[in-house]
Amino acid sequence: MNDLLKKILYFKKEGSLLIILLYCILSFYLCYLFWYVVERLQLINHLNISSPLFSFIVSLPIGTLMLIYKIIDSMFYNKRIKDILTMPINRKHLFKIYLSEINVPFIELETLLFITLGLYTPDLLSVVKYYLSSITLIFLFSLSLCCLLLIILKICHTTHSGYIMIFFQYGGFLTTLLLFKNLLTYLLFFQRTASVTLFLSIVQAPLFLPAVFIGSIVLAIITFILFDHIFFQNIYKIIDFEYNKLFYSKKELFYIRTPYFFLEKKRCFANKDILFYAVLKNIILIILLYKFITTRYSLDTTLVNMIIVIILCSINPFSVTAYSSDPYINQLVLTTPIDSYKIFQSKVRMSFFLNSTIVLIFILLNFFIIHTKKDIFFLVLYGLVNNYLCSFIGVIFDCLMPDYTKNKTELLHGNSNKFLSLIVMTSKTIFEIYIINQLDCKKYLLPIVSFIDIILLILILILIYTKKSRRNTRD
C-alpha cells in the first residue's frame, strides 16, 4: 500500500542497481572531498571545535533550507493529492510517507557526511552522538513546520491559502539565513558572538540529545492528530487555489483588440506561483546582491548597478518558462488556426512588461534611497533595452527546449534555460566592458554600452521583421 501511494503521489521510478551504485559512489566521493578540503584549509583549528560538532553546525542550516523547500512541495503543492482523496487509504500510512519524503534526503546526506567523517577522526562516539543529534533536531524542525502549516491551512481562507504557502516557502529561505546569520558568520569569518557561544554550549550539553528525542516523539503525536483532523478537510483550499475565481467570475463580454497579448496576460496572472515567486525572489536578490558586492568589492557604483541590472534581467522567470508553463500551447498551435509568431511575440512582450517593473523598482530605489543620480537616464535605458533582449533570448530558449514534464516548482528552481540566458547576457556584458576598457573610455561606460545594446536590439528587430515578411510572401 505504501509503495502504491508513493508512486501515485511522487511518480518515482525504481532506478537500476548500476545507477544507484554510481550515485552512491559519487556522493561518497564528494563528501570525502569536502572533509579533505576542510582538513587542508584547517578550518576546524581556526574555529576551535571538534570535527563532529563542525559537521553538526554545517548540516543544520542546510537541513533547514531543504525542509522549507520540500515540506510545501511534497505535502501541499502536490497536484496528485486529489487522486488519492477518494481512495480508502490509511491516514497513518500517508503521514509516514510525507515524513519520509521530507526527511529521507537529509538523512541520506547526513549519513554519507558522517561516514566519511569517521575516516578522518578516531572519536567515533562523538560522531555517532552528533549524527543522531542532527537527524533528531531536523526531524523536530520538520514536525514543527508541519504543525504550523496545518494550523495556517485551517485558519486561512481559500483565496489566501496559496499566497501564504508560497510566501512561506520562498520567504523561508531569507528567514533561515537571518536566523543562522551569526552561525554562518562564525563558520565563514571565524567571528564567535555570544549567541554562538550559547548555542554551542547547549548542543554540547549531555541532556541535549535525550531532550530533542523526547520532544520529537511528543511533537510527532501532536502533528499526527492535527494531520488527521485538518489535512483532509482543508487541502481543497490549495487544490482549488488556481481555479477558485474561474467559476465565480461574472464579467460581461467585451471586444479584445489584441487577443494574443490578452491570452498571455491572463495566463501569466493565473500562474500565481511564478508571479509571486518572481517578485519575492527579485526583491531578496536585490538586497543580497547589493550588500554582497558593495561590502566585498570596491567597484565603481555604475559598474555595480550594471551588474545587478543585467542579473535581474537575465533570470527573468516569465521568459524562461513562457512555453514550459503553458499547458495548452501544443493544443493551440496544432489544432487551431493561430499565428505561432504572434504567440511568440506576445510572450516576449508580456515577459518584458512584467520584469521591467522589477528593474525599474531597483533603479528608483537607487535614485531615492541610495542617491545614485549619476547617469540615471542611461541606467534606465540600459535596463529596459537589456530586459527586452533577455526576454527575447529566454523565450527563444524555452521555445526551442521546452520541458513539459516538470511542475512549476521544478521549473522555477531547476530550469536550464535560465542559466543559458544568464550565461549569454553575462558574456555579452563582459565583452562590452572589455572592449570599452581597451578603448580607454571608462568615463562613458554606461552611455556607450546602452548605445551598443540599442543597436543590437534594432538589428534583432530588423531580422525578425525580415523573416516575418519573407514568410508572409511565401504564404
PDB file of all heavy atoms in Angstrom, residues 68-79:
ATOM      1  N   ILE A  68      12.313  23.494   4.261  1.00  0.00           N
ATOM      2  CA  ILE A  68      11.388  24.544   3.818  1.00  0.00           C
ATOM      3  C   ILE A  68      10.983  24.324   2.367  1.00  0.00           C
ATOM      4  O   ILE A  68       9.829  24.547   1.984  1.00  0.00           O
ATOM      5  CB  ILE A  68      12.040  25.927   4.012  1.00  0.00           C
ATOM      6  CG1 ILE A  68      12.200  26.209   5.510  1.00  0.00           C
ATOM      7  CG2 ILE A  68      11.213  27.029   3.369  1.00  0.00           C
ATOM      8  CD1 ILE A  68      13.016  27.429   5.813  1.00  0.00           C
ATOM      9  N   TYR A  69      11.922  23.866   1.561  1.00  0.00           N
ATOM     10  CA  TYR A  69      11.600  23.609   0.151  1.00  0.00           C
ATOM     11  C   TYR A  69      10.727  22.364  -0.010  1.00  0.00           C
ATOM     12  O   TYR A  69       9.740  22.374  -0.744  1.00  0.00           O
ATOM     13  CB  TYR A  69      12.897  23.448  -0.642  1.00  0.00           C
ATOM     14  CG  TYR A  69      12.679  22.982  -2.057  1.00  0.00           C
ATOM     15  CD1 TYR A  69      12.174  23.842  -3.015  1.00  0.00           C
ATOM     16  CD2 TYR A  69      12.964  21.672  -2.433  1.00  0.00           C
ATOM     17  CE1 TYR A  69      11.967  23.421  -4.309  1.00  0.00           C
ATOM     18  CE2 TYR A  69      12.758  21.240  -3.720  1.00  0.00           C
ATOM     19  CZ  TYR A  69      12.261  22.119  -4.655  1.00  0.00           C
ATOM     20  OH  TYR A  69      12.045  21.698  -5.932  1.00  0.00           O
ATOM     21  N   LYS A  70      11.069  21.283   0.705  1.00  0.00           N
ATOM     22  CA  LYS A  70      10.403  20.004   0.479  1.00  0.00           C
ATOM     23  C   LYS A  70       9.016  19.935   1.099  1.00  0.00           C
ATOM     24  O   LYS A  70       8.117  19.309   0.537  1.00  0.00           O
ATOM     25  CB  LYS A  70      11.271  18.872   1.056  1.00  0.00           C
ATOM     26  CG  LYS A  70      12.544  18.603   0.307  1.00  0.00           C
ATOM     27  CD  LYS A  70      12.306  17.908  -1.001  1.00  0.00           C
ATOM     28  CE  LYS A  70      11.826  16.489  -0.808  1.00  0.00           C
ATOM     29  NZ  LYS A  70      11.656  15.788  -2.076  1.00  0.00           N
ATOM     30  N   ILE A  71       8.830  20.575   2.252  1.00  0.00           N
ATOM     31  CA  ILE A  71       7.597  20.368   3.002  1.00  0.00           C
ATOM     32  C   ILE A  71       6.386  20.955   2.271  1.00  0.00           C
ATOM     33  O   ILE A  71       5.313  20.359   2.232  1.00  0.00           O
ATOM     34  CB  ILE A  71       7.737  20.945   4.430  1.00  0.00           C
ATOM     35  CG1 ILE A  71       6.657  20.375   5.335  1.00  0.00           C
ATOM     36  CG2 ILE A  71       7.689  22.461   4.431  1.00  0.00           C
ATOM     37  CD1 ILE A  71       6.910  20.647   6.798  1.00  0.00           C
ATOM     38  N   ILE A  72       6.565  22.128   1.654  1.00  0.00           N
ATOM     39  CA  ILE A  72       5.459  22.728   0.893  1.00  0.00           C
ATOM     40  C   ILE A  72       5.220  21.950  -0.390  1.00  0.00           C
ATOM     41  O   ILE A  72       4.080  21.647  -0.762  1.00  0.00           O
ATOM     42  CB  ILE A  72       5.776  24.198   0.562  1.00  0.00           C
ATOM     43  CG1 ILE A  72       6.041  24.987   1.838  1.00  0.00           C
ATOM     44  CG2 ILE A  72       4.649  24.833  -0.234  1.00  0.00           C
ATOM     45  CD1 ILE A  72       4.841  25.317   2.644  1.00  0.00           C
ATOM     46  N   ASP A  73       6.311  21.607  -1.060  1.00  0.00           N
ATOM     47  CA  ASP A  73       6.194  20.945  -2.358  1.00  0.00           C
ATOM     48  C   ASP A  73       5.630  19.541  -2.232  1.00  0.00           C
ATOM     49  O   ASP A  73       4.877  19.079  -3.090  1.00  0.00           O
ATOM     50  CB  ASP A  73       7.583  20.912  -3.018  1.00  0.00           C
ATOM     51  CG  ASP A  73       7.487  20.693  -4.510  1.00  0.00           C
ATOM     52  OD1 ASP A  73       6.587  21.260  -5.123  1.00  0.00           O
ATOM     53  OD2 ASP A  73       8.321  19.938  -5.047  1.00  0.00           O
ATOM     54  N   SER A  74       5.980  18.827  -1.167  1.00  0.00           N
ATOM     55  CA  SER A  74       5.550  17.440  -1.021  1.00  0.00           C
ATOM     56  C   SER A  74       4.148  17.314  -0.440  1.00  0.00           C
ATOM     57  O   SER A  74       3.353  16.498  -0.897  1.00  0.00           O
ATOM     58  CB  SER A  74       6.544  16.680  -0.124  1.00  0.00           C
ATOM     59  OG  SER A  74       7.833  16.701  -0.669  1.00  0.00           O
ATOM     60  N   MET A  75       3.831  18.127   0.571  1.00  0.00           N
ATOM     61  CA  MET A  75       2.566  17.957   1.291  1.00  0.00           C
ATOM     62  C   MET A  75       1.408  18.743   0.692  1.00  0.00           C
ATOM     63  O   MET A  75       0.288  18.246   0.610  1.00  0.00           O
ATOM     64  CB  MET A  75       2.739  18.376   2.760  1.00  0.00           C
ATOM     65  CG  MET A  75       3.457  17.364   3.601  1.00  0.00           C
ATOM     66  SD  MET A  75       3.421  17.783   5.358  1.00  0.00           S
ATOM     67  CE  MET A  75       1.683  17.601   5.720  1.00  0.00           C
ATOM     68  N   PHE A  76       1.660  19.985   0.266  1.00  0.00           N
ATOM     69  CA  PHE A  76       0.553  20.868  -0.088  1.00  0.00           C
ATOM     70  C   PHE A  76       0.460  21.155  -1.581  1.00  0.00           C
ATOM     71  O   PHE A  76      -0.636  21.236  -2.126  1.00  0.00           O
ATOM     72  CB  PHE A  76       0.683  22.187   0.685  1.00  0.00           C
ATOM     73  CG  PHE A  76       0.677  22.005   2.165  1.00  0.00           C
ATOM     74  CD1 PHE A  76       1.861  21.981   2.892  1.00  0.00           C
ATOM     75  CD2 PHE A  76      -0.515  21.833   2.852  1.00  0.00           C
ATOM     76  CE1 PHE A  76       1.858  21.804   4.264  1.00  0.00           C
ATOM     77  CE2 PHE A  76      -0.531  21.655   4.223  1.00  0.00           C
ATOM     78  CZ  PHE A  76       0.655  21.639   4.924  1.00  0.00           C
ATOM     79  N   TYR A  77       1.591  21.327  -2.261  1.00  0.00           N
ATOM     80  CA  TYR A  77       1.546  21.694  -3.667  1.00  0.00           C
ATOM     81  C   TYR A  77       1.750  20.506  -4.601  1.00  0.00           C
ATOM     82  O   TYR A  77       2.176  20.671  -5.730  1.00  0.00           O
ATOM     83  CB  TYR A  77       2.589  22.785  -3.964  1.00  0.00           C
ATOM     84  CG  TYR A  77       1.976  24.157  -3.953  1.00  0.00           C
ATOM     85  CD1 TYR A  77       1.841  24.859  -2.777  1.00  0.00           C
ATOM     86  CD2 TYR A  77       1.488  24.725  -5.115  1.00  0.00           C
ATOM     87  CE1 TYR A  77       1.263  26.098  -2.745  1.00  0.00           C
ATOM     88  CE2 TYR A  77       0.907  25.968  -5.105  1.00  0.00           C
ATOM     89  CZ  TYR A  77       0.800  26.650  -3.918  1.00  0.00           C
ATOM     90  OH  TYR A  77       0.208  27.882  -3.903  1.00  0.00           O
ATOM     91  N   ASN A  78       1.446  19.333  -4.130  1.00  0.00           N
ATOM     92  CA  ASN A  78       1.491  18.135  -4.964  1.00  0.00           C
ATOM     93  C   ASN A  78       0.127  17.965  -5.644  1.00  0.00           C
ATOM     94  O   ASN A  78      -0.886  17.739  -4.983  1.00  0.00           O
ATOM     95  CB  ASN A  78       1.815  16.911  -4.104  1.00  0.00           C
ATOM     96  CG  ASN A  78       2.139  15.703  -4.932  1.00  0.00           C
ATOM     97  OD1 ASN A  78       1.783  15.635  -6.110  1.00  0.00           O
ATOM     98  ND2 ASN A  78       2.812  14.749  -4.336  1.00  0.00           N
ATOM     99  N   LYS A  79       0.118  18.094  -6.968  1.00  0.00           N
ATOM    100  CA  LYS A  79      -1.157  18.058  -7.698  1.00  0.00           C
ATOM    101  C   LYS A  79      -1.802  16.674  -7.700  1.00  0.00           C
ATOM    102  O   LYS A  79      -2.980  16.549  -8.028  1.00  0.00           O
ATOM    103  CB  LYS A  79      -0.930  18.509  -9.144  1.00  0.00           C
ATOM    104  CG  LYS A  79      -0.601  19.979  -9.255  1.00  0.00           C
ATOM    105  CD  LYS A  79      -0.520  20.394 -10.709  1.00  0.00           C
ATOM    106  CE  LYS A  79      -0.272  21.889 -10.827  1.00  0.00           C
ATOM    107  NZ  LYS A  79      -0.190  22.331 -12.217  1.00  0.00           N
TER     108      LYS A  79
END
